[in-house]
Amino acid sequence: MRAVRERCVWSQRITHRDLVPYLIEESHEVIDAVESGTRTDLREELGDLLWQVLFHSAIAAQDPDDPFDIDDVARTLTEKMVRRHPHVFADAVARTPDEVLVHWNAAKAAEKRTRSSVLDGVPRGMPALALAQKLVGRAAGVGVAVPASTTEAGPTTEAELGDALLALVDRARTNGWDAERALRERLRTVEADVRTAESAG
């Protein structure tokens, strides 16, 4: 990576912002490899994703004001994982996955003390459906309920959920609606409701 950054004229001009579309694309390619690819596909796509991390780290190392490199990234990650696994690296006990999650969430909360809202730290660039699932979970945590569906019977399995979502997307297409925009706009209302509940509490 260092050699590419130093000797490739294209790579020399690339910034963190320039790399964002590639990072998103490579992440989706890893997902595709997990869901429907071969082991060879997965090995290759994980390598491409790792290259993105190395590339960002090489760019960061050249920052004149606040440089850091891949070793700093790895050190920060190691420190975080040690803090969040006290049942592995300290004397805490976790015999079930739920108990592990309690330790993880406690460590994460201690790290994020400066956050003023449960919405802080949720990346707005997530796809709308993934963002919705994250925000609905955070909303439930502060007692904000999401309106129930107007349909009488909802899906009872994940496969039926997929069919229901696909049917809704088809209905949006038929009516000329933008399904992504519709969900994002509704999520803004959920966010406002959460912030109102937090300020009232």
Side-chain angles (χ1 to χ4, degrees):
M1 182 67 249
R2 212 170 282 123
V4 167
R5 182 71 173 164
E6 289 171 1
R7 301 177 199 164
C8 172
V9 292
W10 181 84
S11 298
Q12 289 169 355
R13 296 197 303 262
I14 294 297
T15 67
H16 290 297
R17 188 175 293 275
D18 294 332
L19 279 181
V20 167
Y22 301 103
L23 179 59
I24 293 169
E25 181 180 340
E26 297 299 352
S27 298
H28 284 290
E29 288 178 2
V30 169
I31 294 168
D32 284 345
V34 168
E35 293 179 346
S36 59
T38 64
R39 299 287 292 171
T40 301
D41 294 334
L42 180 57
R43 183 171 61 243
E44 179 182 350
E45 298 306 339
L46 285 171
D48 290 346
L49 188 58
L50 175 59
W51 183 255
Q52 292 297 306
V53 175
L54 294 170
F55 208 153
H56 277 284
S57 298
I59 294 168
Q62 295 175 328
D63 186 278
D65 302 317
D66 187 16
F68 61 83
D69 62 15
I70 190 64
D71 292 329
D72 298 313
V73 171
R75 187 177 307 106
T76 301
L77 175 62
T78 300
E79 291 167 356
K80 180 194 288 187
M81 290 303 107
V82 168
R83 281 193 311 272
R84 293 192 183 180
H85 292 83
H87 54 291
V88 174
F89 299 104
D91 56 2
V93 176
R95 293 186 180 89
T96 68
D98 286 341
E99 290 176 355
V100 170
L101 197 56
V102 168
H103 291 305
W104 179 277
N105 288 334
K108 188 172 180 179
E111 293 166 12
K112 311 296 182 184
R113 281 195 193 107
T114 58
R115 291 184 175 174
S116 59
S117 170
V118 296
L119 302 177
D120 292 348
V122 177
R124 294 309 184 272
M126 292 172 71
L129 202 54
L131 180 60
Q133 188 152 344
K134 178 75 77 173
L135 290 181
V136 165
R138 299 287 176 96
V142 294
V144 173
V146 175
S149 171
T150 55
T151 57
E152 289 183 17
T156 58
T157 67
E158 196 167 287
E160 288 178 4
L161 174 63
D163 290 340
L165 289 170
L166 196 57
L168 285 172
V169 170
D170 186 51
R171 184 184 303 173
R173 180 195 59 80
T174 301
N175 287 289
W177 301 332
D178 185 320
E180 179 88 3
R181 183 177 60 227
L183 184 54
R184 283 193 176 278
E185 287 179 354
R186 186 63 188 84
L187 289 176
R188 279 193 278 279
T189 304
V190 172
E191 289 185 57
D193 292 345
V194 167
R195 294 193 188 281
T196 299
E198 287 177 328
S199 62

